[in-house]
Amino acid sequence: MQFHLHADSIMLTGPGPGAVLAGGLFAVSRLSWQWSMVAEVFTLNNLFVGLLFFLMASFHCAENSRQRRKITHWGAFCCGLGLCNQHTLVLYVLVIVPWVLSRLHALKELPFLGLVSLGFCFIAGFLPYIYLPISSYLSTARWSWGDQTTLSGFLTHLLRAEYGTFSLAKAETSVSLNRMLQ
């Protein structure tokens, strides 16, 4: 897909040589293949970022309010789901959401119930967080970040208070970094 910049809008056109070349180079990239077998949050985060950009472009090109409403609901759901995976997505969400809401407001397509509906879609995307306290209580969340059976432990994980420390493994007693790596 190519983007053509005009003074007042972005038009999407069909695939051209640049898009085919970019996709082909990405497909045969050694680094892409090397990391394709690693279970890591960053790759999934990239998927959500790409999905949000796709939804944003689709929203911009939507021909009527029904299409925009459908796209915004999927976007709200993907924002919630993506934030369950990696909080750095908030950097994109903080730009995209105000833009979408301002466009809807300008088009007079943002009633109060529509805003509530978008909120519910976001919360539906955020539902995987329900699994954390349940799995922590059942002791099935091995190597989870802390104890999410309490509200304090859940908020510690949700707000990533332990991120960047060496306290990343769930244990009843203190575990040294050396022992944890073994």
Side-chain angles (χ1 to χ4, degrees):
M1 219 177 276
Q2 292 178 335
F3 290 93
H4 294 285
L5 295 177
H6 294 280
D8 59 347
S9 68
I10 298 174
M11 290 182 11
L12 298 174
T13 62
V20 172
L21 178 64
L25 288 174
F26 181 77
V28 298
S29 167
R30 184 179 72 83
L31 198 56
S32 293
W33 283 98
Q34 179 181 347
W35 285 98
S36 68
M37 300 304 289
V38 176
E40 190 58 65
V41 296
F42 306 113
T43 307
L44 189 56
N45 187 56
N46 292 340
L47 173 71
F48 282 116
V49 170
L51 184 59
L52 288 179
F53 280 140
F54 170 75
L55 289 169
M56 186 175 68
S58 298
F59 173 82
H60 180 74
C61 294
E63 296 175 0
N64 56 48
S65 64
R66 186 170 181 257
Q67 287 178 347
R68 281 188 289 275
R69 186 172 45 250
K70 182 179 177 181
I71 293 166
T72 55
H73 282 87
W74 277 109
F77 177 77
C78 290
C79 285
L81 192 58
L83 288 170
C84 284
N85 176 62
Q86 179 77 5
H87 285 119
T88 57
L89 191 72
V90 77
L91 299 173
Y92 297 95
V93 170
L94 288 175
V95 174
I96 294 171
V97 169
W99 176 76
V100 168
L101 292 177
S102 69
R103 294 279 299 144
L104 288 173
H105 180 67
L107 295 168
K108 301 192 182 335
E109 296 176 5
L110 188 62
F112 177 73
L113 289 178
L115 195 58
V116 170
S117 176
L118 290 174
F120 278 123
C121 287
F122 175 82
I123 290 170
F126 221 63
L127 283 179
Y129 268 116
I130 289 177
Y131 172 74
L132 290 176
I134 294 169
S135 64
S136 186
Y137 179 76
L138 298 173
S139 297
T140 58
R142 190 170 177 216
W143 303 110
S144 175
W145 290 353
D147 178 18
Q148 290 98 29
T149 57
T150 66
L151 180 60
S152 172
F154 180 74
L155 289 176
T156 298
H157 176 75
L158 179 69
L159 301 173
R160 303 292 202 258
E162 296 171 334
Y163 187 75
T165 68
F166 295 115
S167 306
L168 302 178
K170 179 181 176 184
E172 300 299 323
T173 60
S174 178
V175 178
S176 70
L177 175 61
N178 199 15
R179 177 71 181 138
M180 184 175 69
L181 291 175
Q182 288 175 350

